[in-house]
């Protein structure tokens, strides 16, 4: 019970809670007419106490009476809203002063007491009703992020304890079809992407979804509830000192309240109460003057003396602090910091960028034994130039912030473009001098290499074993394997001769029948002096060693390049210093030779055949000419804007050409697009030696004298309206350079193996 002289409650709410076998009634007061100190009413004898405050609380300590009240409330809820009306009538007749019949006039009569009447909604545990089970269903705690970030991992997120949540096994199309036929709840099963599990929808959830699709209200929802009448009097009524509503009405973009504030500020400026800040006068300092001396107080200790004020310009650039030297930089470092022979060899052979330190620790017994650094004069000069040219003031540049990412093309990730070469798998050792060229058999089982040691060696790819060796007596510049798997023949260029070798001598002990027919020594040789080439058969000893035919260049110049036609009967040789006789096309079956040019067209470096058309590619110093051998006309003249072309390679489809040059660039030319370069790759720091396409996969690579090989993804589309896609994939490092020459050539083997030579 309580008295009317306390707060008059306007809005209240009853909440029943059950806490450790105790039942409480909490009255939440929102608005009160008067702000007074909380009043504690006297005990009415039954153990009920009222605390009047903005958050009033009544605790009933008698559990028996509370249980009776709960039972009465349940009966009242079953009867409906009529009970609440009857309660209101009883209160009016009896003149009770319960919470429902509190008057609004604030009468302070202490004699009238009323009985407690529970609210119709009493007994409902709102605290339990507000609890949601959504938090319990959420197992994954990664938050609202794109779940595609976890596509490459074996887990889908983390639970509340920080443990990984493994991905659930996902069936294929057949499993999903069988599950659809066997599971009756398949039609109501949805996939939870966050928790990586399937959830079966309940009937209530399906009804809710159907109502959303049909734009209907859910069951039990009243869209037009009864209006609640509020009292007219309020503690928060409008005061006269507050601005009127008219001041917030906008007229021509400015309201009257803002205008009045502007007038007040303008008046204060006229009266002199508000003064603008005067600009600071410029200050000038003598940068080369001595530091100012501060007065020293003799009565203060040293640590309390004022610090010397030395002027430092705001734009002064502070020099970076150099890292303190360690034990390895000492003139007499400990033994554990000294390199052994293997570490010294590894440090000297590695690239400067890959070294963990830029010097080699050296031990001296005395300090005076240290040799003078050779670059000390250069370093002193550079330091003096830095002091002389150092800026005295830093001028900030106004850089406009712009999003440069929208101008970059969207390229796929390298890991999605596998396979491609990534690391060294095997090394073939045996040559005693520089290796100049390599070639692969059509089956991919054998490898032939040549070099400055006057030899051509035959290797087994899988084991790295040397199967055989031919000693030709001169430097061998180039070797090329016949691309026709029927004819196992190798062409080797050595000085002014071209040797046709049969590797079956070491592989099968004797050549195949097709090779014997093609290299038959009984075919009559017709040598025309106008050819500039003389055909010769090898001696019996050479034939037994696998050397069957020798082509001799009458000009005496060195032949440095050879290329086969895809059918295996024709091949071309290039002699750069032979002027008009620098290119020859030979037919092996008829022992015939043609010199297609009568005039000099420039220094020719290499040639190549088209894989499907009768086209012949000739690379001069700055251009690539394409000739039609059937019609004997020039089809195109490619101008890739390179200074000196080193090598060319034609795409297996024949529509694109890779051109490498000694000026560190590689050009990709699309024959259907233009005679100019479609893309120019500038990734190498030294001369680019060669660029090669893969025969089966959309991969190509380039090598250079910087001892690096760059691997790219090069996809060519059938759609003529779509350009080729070029994506950098990998840089293969770790190769050694000899006499300023790095990787001279490489080839792709099988799927994604890359062979390089240096």
């Amino acid at each position: 019970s309580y008295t009317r002289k306390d707060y008059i409650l306007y809005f209240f709410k009853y909440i029943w809670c059950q806490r450790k076998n105790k039942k409480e009634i909490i009255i939440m007061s929102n608005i009160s007419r008067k702000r007074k100190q909380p009043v504690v009413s006297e005990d009415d004898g039954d153990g009920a106490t009222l605390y009047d405050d903005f958050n009033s609380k009544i605790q009933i300590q008698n559990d028996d009476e509370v249980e009776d009240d709960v039972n009465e409330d349940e009966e009242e809820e079953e009867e409906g809203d009529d009970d609440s009306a009857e309660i209101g009538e009883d209160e009016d007749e009896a003149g009770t002063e319960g919470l429902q019949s509190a008057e609004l006039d604030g009468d302070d009569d202490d004699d009238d007491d009323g009985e407690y009447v529970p609210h119709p909604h009493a007994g409902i545990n709102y605290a339990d009703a507000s609890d949601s089970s959504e938090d319990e269903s959420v197992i994954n705690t990664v938050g609202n992020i794109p779940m595609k970030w976890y596509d490459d991992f074996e887990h889908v997120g983390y639970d509340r304890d920080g443990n990984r949540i493994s991905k659930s096994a996902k069936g294929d199309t057949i499993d999903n079809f069988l599950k659809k036929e066997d599971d009756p709840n398949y039609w109501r099963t949805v996939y939870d992407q966050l928790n990586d599990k399937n959830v079966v929808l309940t009937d209530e959830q399906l009804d809710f979804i159907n109502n959303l699709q049909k734009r209907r209200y859910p069951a039990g929802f009243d869209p037009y509830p009864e209006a609640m009448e509020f009292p007219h009097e309020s503690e928060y009524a409008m005061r006269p000192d507050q601005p009127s509503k008219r001041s917030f009405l906008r007229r021509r973009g400015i309201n009257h309240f803002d205008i009045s504030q502007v007038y007040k500020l303008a008046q204060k400026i006229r009266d002199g109460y508000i003064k603008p800040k005067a600009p600071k006068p410029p200050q000038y300092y003598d940068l080369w003057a001595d530091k100012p001396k501060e007065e020293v107080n003799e009565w203060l200790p040293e640590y309390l003396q004022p610090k010397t004020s030395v002027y430092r310009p705001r734009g002064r650039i502070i020099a970076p602090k150099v890292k303190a030297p360690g034990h390895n930089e000492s003139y007499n470092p400990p033994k554990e910091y000294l390199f052994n022979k293997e570490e010294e060899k590894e440090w000297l052979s590695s690239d400067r960028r890959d070294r963990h330190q830029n010097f080699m620790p050296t031990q001296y017994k005395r300090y005076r034994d240290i040799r003078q650094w050779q670059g000390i004069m250069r370093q002193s000069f550079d330091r003096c130039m830095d002091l002389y040219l150092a800026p005295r003031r830093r001028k900030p540049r106004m850089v406009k912030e712009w999003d440069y990412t929208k101008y970059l093309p969207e390229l796929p990730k390298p890991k999605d473009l596998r396979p491609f070469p990534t690391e060294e798998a095997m090394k073939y050792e045996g040559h005693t001098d520089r290796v100049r060229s390599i070639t692969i058999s059509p089956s991919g089982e054998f490898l032939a290499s040549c070099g400055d040691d006057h030899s051509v060696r035959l290797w087994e790819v899988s084991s790295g074993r040397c199967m055989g060796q031919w000693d030709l007596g001169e430097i061998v510049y180039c070797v090329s394997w016949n691309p026709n798997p029927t004819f196992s023949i190798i062409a080797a260029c050595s000085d002014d001769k071209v040797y046709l070798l049969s590797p079956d001598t070491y592989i099968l002990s004797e050549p195949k029948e097709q090779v014997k027919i093609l290299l038959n020594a009984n075919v009559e040789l017709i040598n025309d002096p106008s050819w500039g080439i003389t055909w010769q058969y090898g001696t019996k000893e050479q034939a037994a060693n696998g050397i069957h035919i020798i082509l001799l260049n009458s000009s005496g110049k060195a032949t440095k390049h050879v290329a086969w036609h895809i059918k295996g009967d024709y091949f071309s040789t290039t002699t750069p210093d032979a002027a008009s006789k620098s290119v020859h096309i030979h037919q092996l079956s008829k022992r015939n030779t043609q010199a297609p040019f009568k005039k000099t067209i420039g220094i020719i470096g290499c040639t190549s055949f088209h894989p499907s058309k009768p086209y012949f590619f000739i690379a001069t110093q700055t251009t690539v000419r394409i000739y039609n051998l059937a019609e004997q006309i020039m089809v195109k003249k490619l101008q890739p804007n390179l200074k000196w072309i080193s090598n060319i390679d034609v795409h297996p489809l024949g529509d694109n050409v890779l051109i490498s040059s000694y000026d560190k660039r590689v050009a990709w030319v699309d024959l259907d697009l233009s005679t100019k370069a479609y893309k120019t790759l500038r990734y190498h720091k030294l001369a680019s030696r060669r660029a090669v396409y893969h025969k089966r996969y959309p991969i190509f690579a380039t090598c250079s004298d910087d001892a690096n090989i760059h691997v790219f993804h090069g996809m060519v589309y059938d759609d003529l309206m779509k350009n080729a896609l070029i994506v950098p994939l990998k840089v293969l490092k770790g190769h050694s350079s000899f006499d300023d020459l790095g990787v001279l050539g490489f080839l792709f083997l099988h799927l994604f193996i890359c062979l390089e030579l240096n």
Side-chain angles (χ1 to χ4, degrees):
S1 62
Y2 62 96
T3 60
R4 191 186 299 176
K5 66 179 181 180
D6 300 324
Y7 296 111
I8 298 177
L9 306 177
Y10 281 34
F11 301 94
F12 50 85
K13 181 171 66 174
Y14 298 90
I15 300 176
W16 281 81
C17 304
Q18 185 175 356
R19 303 174 181 173
K20 297 182 180 180
N21 297 327
K22 289 184 180 181
K23 297 184 178 179
E24 301 175 355
I25 301 175
I26 301 177
I27 303 175
M28 302 299 295
S29 174
N30 297 330
I31 302 175
S32 62
R33 165 176 285 184
K34 300 179 181 179
R35 297 179 180 270
K36 296 182 179 181
Q37 296 295 330
V39 178
V40 181
S41 65
E42 298 179 356
D43 192 354
D44 59 355
D46 296 334
T49 307
L50 175 65
Y51 300 89
D52 291 328
D53 196 359
F54 284 95
N55 294 323
S56 303
K57 178 177 180 182
I58 301 176
Q59 175 149 6
I60 303 174
Q61 299 179 358
N62 195 338
D63 295 341
D64 297 334
E65 294 180 2
V66 174
E67 293 179 0
D68 296 339
D69 293 339
V70 173
N71 296 331
E72 292 176 2
D73 294 338
E74 294 177 355
E75 295 175 359
E76 291 175 359
E77 292 178 358
E78 295 176 358
E79 292 177 1
D81 298 338
D82 296 335
D83 295 341
S84 60
E86 294 176 0
I87 293 172
E89 294 175 358
D90 295 341
E91 289 175 345
D92 295 339
E93 295 175 359
T96 58
E97 298 175 354
L99 297 178
Q100 297 291 340
S101 61
E103 297 183 3
L104 304 178
D105 54 357
D107 190 5
D108 297 339
D109 190 1
D110 298 339
D111 298 334
D112 297 336
D113 296 333
E115 297 179 357
Y116 168 72
V117 179
H119 194 270
H121 296 284
I124 301 176
N125 193 344
Y126 291 96
D128 297 340
S130 63
D131 294 340
S132 176
S133 61
E134 295 181 359
D135 296 337
E136 298 177 0
S137 62
V138 177
I139 302 175
N140 199 347
T141 59
V142 295
N144 187 14
I145 62 172
M147 299 307 297
K148 63 181 181 180
W149 294 352
Y150 287 90
D151 291 346
D152 299 335
F153 298 94
E154 297 180 354
H155 61 284
V156 75
Y158 303 89
D159 56 8
R160 296 182 179 179
D161 297 333
N163 300 323
R164 293 183 177 179
I165 302 176
S166 302
K167 291 184 179 179
S168 60
K170 296 181 181 179
D172 52 5
T173 308
I174 299 176
D175 295 338
N176 294 334
F177 177 76
L178 295 176
K179 188 175 181 180
K180 180 179 180 181
E181 298 295 332
D182 298 340
D183 190 2
N185 294 327
Y186 182 82
W187 64 277
R188 61 166 63 191
T189 304
V190 295
Y191 175 68
D192 186 2
Q193 186 179 9
L194 179 61
N195 298 320
D196 193 21
K197 66 179 182 179
N198 295 327
V199 180
V200 181
L201 299 178
T202 61
D203 296 337
E204 298 178 356
Q205 295 173 345
L206 291 175
D207 295 339
F208 184 76
I209 295 173
N210 292 332
N211 292 332
L212 287 178
Q213 293 178 348
K214 297 179 180 179
R215 298 183 179 180
R216 298 186 306 188
Y217 294 108
F221 177 76
D222 186 8
Y224 307 104
E226 296 181 0
M228 180 182 296
E229 296 182 359
F230 291 91
H232 298 286
E233 298 181 5
S234 175
E235 183 183 2
Y236 300 102
M238 298 294 292
R239 298 191 299 271
D241 57 342
Q242 292 181 344
S244 62
K245 185 178 180 181
R246 187 180 62 177
S247 63
F248 295 97
L249 298 178
R250 291 186 175 273
R251 294 185 181 179
R252 296 182 182 178
I254 303 177
N255 55 53
H256 294 277
F257 182 75
D258 295 339
I259 293 175
S260 62
Q261 295 295 325
V262 172
Y263 287 159
K264 291 180 181 179
L265 293 175
Q267 186 63 30
K268 290 182 179 179
I269 293 174
R270 294 191 193 99
D271 297 341
Y273 294 106
I274 299 178
K275 296 181 180 180
K277 294 183 179 179
K280 294 183 179 180
Q283 297 180 358
Y284 302 97
Y285 300 91
D286 187 2
L287 296 176
W288 310 107
D290 297 334
K291 298 180 181 179
K293 297 181 180 180
E294 298 289 345
E295 296 182 359
V296 180
N297 194 341
E298 300 178 355
W299 303 98
L300 293 177
E302 183 179 357
Y303 65 90
L304 292 179
Q305 293 290 343
K307 297 181 179 179
T308 58
S309 58
V310 179
Y311 169 71
R312 292 184 179 180
R314 298 182 63 181
R316 179 181 177 183
I317 302 175
I318 302 175
K321 295 183 179 179
V322 182
K323 184 180 178 182
H327 295 290
N328 54 349
E329 300 183 36
S330 174
Y331 72 94
N332 189 11
K335 294 183 179 179
E336 57 268 16
Y337 289 95
L338 299 177
F339 288 173
N340 52 26
K341 294 183 179 180
E342 296 180 357
E343 294 176 349
E344 182 179 354
K345 183 178 179 181
E346 181 181 0
W347 187 84
L348 293 173
S349 61
S350 61
D351 189 20
R352 294 182 179 179
R353 296 169 294 181
D354 299 336
R355 296 173 181 174
H356 63 280
Q357 58 185 18
N358 57 357
F359 64 94
M360 185 185 302
T362 309
Q363 189 176 23
Y364 299 96
K365 294 183 179 180
R366 291 175 296 274
Y367 188 76
R368 61 176 179 270
D369 294 342
I370 302 176
R371 293 173 294 178
Q372 185 180 8
W373 184 42
Q374 298 177 358
I376 188 171
M377 297 300 295
R378 182 67 183 178
Q379 184 185 24
S380 301
F381 176 76
D382 291 341
R383 289 186 177 183
C384 293
M385 292 298 294
D386 292 341
L387 293 175
Y388 173 68
L389 300 175
R392 298 303 176 189
R393 183 176 182 182
R394 183 191 295 120
K395 294 183 179 180
R397 296 182 179 179
M398 299 299 295
V399 180
K400 183 179 179 181
E401 295 183 0
W402 56 284
D403 188 11
Y404 62 90
T405 57
K406 63 182 180 181
Y407 299 101
L408 298 178
E410 296 182 0
L411 299 178
K413 298 180 180 178
K415 63 180 179 180
D416 299 334
L417 302 176
R418 295 176 180 176
F420 56 85
T422 57
E423 59 184 5
E424 181 181 341
M426 186 176 295
K427 184 180 292 186
Y428 301 88
E429 297 180 351
H431 283 280
T432 58
D433 207 339
R434 180 187 294 113
V435 181
R436 288 188 174 270
S437 178
I438 56 175
T439 182
I440 305 293
S441 64
S443 62
E445 298 178 0
F446 301 99
L447 165 70
S449 62
C450 66
D452 292 350
D453 56 354
H454 308 169
S455 66
V456 177
R457 296 176 183 266
L458 182 65
W459 310 85
E460 186 178 11
V461 173
S462 59
S463 62
R465 181 169 59 93
C466 183
M467 304 288 293
Q469 176 181 347
W470 293 277
D471 190 2
L472 303 182
E474 298 290 342
I475 296 176
V476 185
Y477 294 99
C478 180
V479 289
S480 181
W481 206 302
N482 195 324
N484 193 340
T486 305
F487 309 119
S488 181
I489 300 174
I490 299 176
C493 301
S494 176
D495 198 22
D496 58 347
K497 301 180 183 64
V498 178
Y499 296 87
L500 298 181
L501 312 175
S502 176
D504 292 341
T505 306
Y506 296 100
I507 299 174
L508 302 175
S509 69
E510 63 179 6
K512 297 180 182 179
E513 292 296 332
Q514 296 85 347
V515 179
K516 288 182 179 180
I517 295 173
L518 191 62
L519 300 178
N520 188 7
N522 297 326
V523 178
E524 184 180 358
L525 298 177
I526 302 175
N527 293 318
D528 190 349
S530 63
W531 295 349
I533 295 294
T534 303
W535 290 73
Q536 298 178 358
Y537 288 112
T539 61
K540 293 184 179 180
E541 296 179 357
Q542 291 177 339
N545 194 24
I547 303 175
H548 296 275
I549 298 177
I550 302 174
L551 281 74
L552 180 63
N553 195 332
S554 58
S555 64
K557 305 296 182 180
T559 302
K560 295 186 178 181
H561 187 266
V562 60
W564 285 93
H565 190 268
I566 192 171
K567 293 184 179 180
D569 191 18
Y570 293 90
F571 66 96
S572 65
T573 57
T574 304
T575 307
D577 300 333
S580 61
K581 302 293 183 180
S582 59
V583 178
H584 293 88
I585 299 177
H586 313 278
Q587 187 177 7
L588 182 58
S589 59
K590 296 182 179 181
R591 310 294 193 270
N592 191 6
T593 300
Q594 295 179 0
F597 303 105
K598 296 181 180 180
K599 296 181 180 180
T600 304
I601 60 175
I603 300 176
I604 300 176
C606 58
T607 58
S608 179
F609 289 94
H610 195 279
S612 58
K613 298 180 181 180
Y615 289 169
F616 188 57
F617 295 81
I618 296 178
T620 61
Q621 185 173 351
T622 58
T623 61
V624 176
R625 300 170 183 257
I626 305 176
Y627 292 90
N628 191 333
L629 298 178
E631 300 179 1
Q632 297 182 0
I633 59 174
M634 187 176 70
V635 180
K636 285 185 180 181
K637 183 178 180 181
L638 306 181
Q639 297 177 350
N641 194 20
L642 301 176
K643 294 181 180 180
W644 196 298
I645 297 175
S646 60
N647 207 329
I648 62 173
D649 188 41
V650 184
H651 193 271
L653 299 179
D655 296 335
N656 297 271
V657 180
L658 271 178
I659 306 174
S660 59
S661 66
Y662 294 113
D663 55 348
K664 313 174 187 178
R665 295 181 292 176
V666 177
W668 176 302
V669 181
D670 192 343
L671 301 180
D672 296 333
L673 183 63
S674 173
T675 58
K676 305 292 184 179
Y678 163 64
K679 290 286 184 182
T680 302
L681 308 178
R682 299 176 176 87
Y683 290 95
H684 293 291
K685 295 183 179 180
L686 296 177
S688 179
R689 291 288 177 175
R690 193 172 184 183
V692 178
Y693 285 109
H694 197 285
K695 301 301 181 184
R696 295 176 56 186
Y697 290 90
I699 302 174
F700 72 94
T702 62
C703 65
S704 172
D705 286 340
D706 58 3
N708 293 333
I709 296 178
H710 291 260
V711 184
F712 300 86
H713 172 82
M715 174 62 73
V716 178
Y717 301 96
D718 296 334
D719 187 4
L720 297 179
M721 301 300 294
K722 200 170 184 180
N723 295 329
L725 176 63
I726 301 175
V727 182
L729 297 178
K730 184 71 175 179
V731 179
L732 303 178
K733 300 181 180 180
H735 311 99
S736 59
S737 60
F738 182 73
D739 291 344
D740 297 333
L741 297 179
V743 182
L744 300 182
F746 67 96
L747 286 176
F748 286 102
L749 173 64
H750 291 306
L751 298 181
F752 52 90
I753 300 176
C754 179
L755 298 175
E756 63 272 0
L757 54 115
N758 49 22

